[in-house]
Amino acid sequence: MSIRVLARTLRGLEDVAAREITERGLGRVELTRHREVWFTTDRPGARLLDLRTADDVFLLAAAVDGVGHTKPDLARVTEAARTIAPRELLRLRGRCGGAGTATGVDVAASFLGKRNYNRYDLEDTVGTEIATALALPYHSRRGGSAPPEGTLSFRVTVEDTRAALALRIGDRPLHRRDYKQASTPGTLHPPLAAAMALLAGIEPGHTVLDPCCGTGTLLIETAHLVPGARLLGADHDPRALAAATGNATTATATATEARWLRADAGRMPVGTGVVDRLVSNPPWERQVAGRGALAARPDRLYREIRRVLSPTGTAVLLLHDAQAQCAAATAAGLRVRETRTLSLFGTHPSIVTLTG
């Protein structure tokens, strides 16, 4: 049985999510568009909920063409909502690891470009139809209140003149990882961490270092994607290390695979040329102040990266001032291999790939 699935991503990571879907045999990619990857799978099941680089994953219920910019165009979306067989979607959701029952219906909508209708018009026209078909209450977001737990969460997106109508498989967004029991300011978005690990090309047996590990998200995601990698996390803040240790213990894939130690990123506690892959989200005064040697000499990070990387090593960093930081990395003897800009909660950092 083939089903169509829609994965939501951060802007700039669509191709990375498509790569994960293909490489892990989760399905056949049909298309990518703004923050979305559409794919088909012949093996629907709970493994869809283990897609690491996606913010969320949905059953694609309908694709609607000809959705223009005026309110009368909403009739096309309304008709699609009326014909999607929601009870069959609910049954299929259960097969894919989601709940097979629901207490109500809610809808979240978004679109690109100017329209003569707003997101709530889209949400209400779809939600009312589906809730009526299922004889369930509809919980509108128009008043700003969050829907209660246990509802069926639908998503409507419109790009150009094509709309997608989809049902979330899980009971909550996929990016809300169960292992994130402890957090600190500046903690990394888990799907972004997974994408960085994938872009680093980590393989089993590689020594992987995060010298600014914070609560451990990068290495925990690495362990899920690449069992058998040797993982080392270091941070100057003992509170962050305590959080990382707790999160790693909750995430059983990393309970025995990662080592955590307090150390200065400007004086990394490893030998020269022994690190195969370095992945990190350096502080750079965004939400976390630089500490230790980096407080006075932030450029020391790049000199240390150059020192610890093996001759074939790669570093993948999340940087908010990519142009200036790449100049500092180049001055330290590193080469910039790739830069990709993201949209992340109103900011535009870059994933930068460096080699020695």
Side-chain angles (χ1 to χ4, degrees):
M1 175 186 182
S2 294
I3 65 166
R4 301 177 77 194
V5 183
L6 184 155
R8 290 276 295 175
T9 74
L10 289 177
R11 180 63 177 139
L13 294 182
E14 296 90 347
D15 63 317
V16 182
R19 173 181 158 187
E20 183 193 356
I21 290 163
T22 300
E23 291 183 351
R24 296 182 60 191
L26 296 176
R28 301 179 300 279
V29 173
E30 293 181 21
L31 66 87
T32 61
R33 64 179 200 167
H34 179 83
R35 295 197 61 194
E36 292 180 358
V37 181
W38 297 14
F39 64 100
T40 302
T41 181
D42 296 327
R43 294 187 294 161
R47 69 195 194 113
L48 292 173
L49 295 177
D50 195 38
L51 184 57
R52 310 303 298 185
T53 57
D55 276 12
D56 215 345
V57 63
F58 300 81
L59 297 171
L60 182 57
V64 187
D65 292 314
V67 180
H69 293 72
T70 65
K71 278 195 172 182
D73 291 308
L74 293 177
R76 292 183 178 271
V77 185
T78 304
E79 180 60 27
R82 190 175 294 135
T83 59
I84 62 170
R87 294 191 184 279
E88 174 61 19
L89 276 175
L90 186 58
R91 184 192 66 80
L92 188 55
R93 179 178 184 247
R95 283 190 58 188
C96 293
T101 59
T103 60
V105 172
D106 73 87
V107 182
S110 60
F111 51 79
L112 296 178
K114 294 183 178 180
R115 312 269 168 170
N116 290 337
Y117 48 83
N118 60 41
R119 56 167 287 194
Y120 303 112
D121 296 330
L122 262 176
E123 292 169 358
D124 291 347
T125 192
V126 169
T128 301
E129 290 292 338
I130 296 173
T132 299
L134 290 170
L136 291 172
Y138 167 58
H139 300 281
S140 176
R141 297 172 182 263
R142 191 180 288 270
S145 60
E149 292 186 6
T151 59
L152 285 176
S153 293
F154 283 82
R155 181 88 199 186
V156 182
T157 59
V158 186
E159 182 176 341
D160 297 325
T161 59
R162 192 174 215 193
L165 173 56
L167 170 63
R168 175 183 289 142
I169 295 175
D171 298 327
R172 61 181 186 173
L174 202 59
H175 65 80
R176 295 183 187 172
R177 307 288 206 248
D178 289 337
Y179 69 78
K180 294 278 280 189
Q181 300 296 308
S183 186
T184 60
T187 188
L188 195 59
H189 189 57
L192 172 54
M196 291 173 65
L198 197 62
L199 289 168
I202 299 166
E203 298 178 2
H206 273 171
T207 295
V208 183
L209 170 66
D210 182 354
C212 309
C213 70
T215 59
T217 307
L218 263 165
L219 295 185
I220 293 171
E221 291 298 324
T222 297
H224 277 284
L225 286 168
V226 193
R230 296 189 294 269
L231 308 176
L232 176 62
D235 202 281
H236 197 276
D237 184 355
R239 294 168 300 176
L241 288 171
T245 302
N247 288 339
T249 301
T250 303
T252 54
T254 61
T256 59
E257 295 180 24
R259 293 175 54 217
W260 311 94
L261 68 157
R262 187 179 182 188
D264 191 326
R267 302 183 184 92
M268 296 182 194
V270 297
T272 299
V274 300
V275 173
D276 299 296
R277 298 292 185 267
L278 187 147
V279 288
S280 198
N281 175 27
W284 297 157
E285 309 296 334
R286 284 284 168 169
Q287 291 179 283
V288 180
R291 297 188 177 192
L294 298 189
R297 292 286 306 277
D299 60 302
R300 288 192 61 160
L301 175 68
Y302 297 111
R303 298 187 184 281
E304 279 292 271
I305 291 174
R306 180 70 181 87
R307 180 183 68 81
V308 303
L309 278 182
S310 72
T312 58
T314 299
V316 175
L317 307 179
L318 184 69
L319 302 175
H320 285 268
D321 186 359
Q323 185 173 3
Q325 297 299 328
C326 286
T330 300
L334 294 163
R335 289 174 288 181
V336 178
R337 195 173 73 190
E338 181 187 39
T339 300
R340 63 166 64 217
T341 302
L342 312 175
S343 180
L344 177 66
F345 310 130
T347 65
H348 299 281
S350 297
I351 299 176
V352 177
T353 302
L354 306 167
T355 56

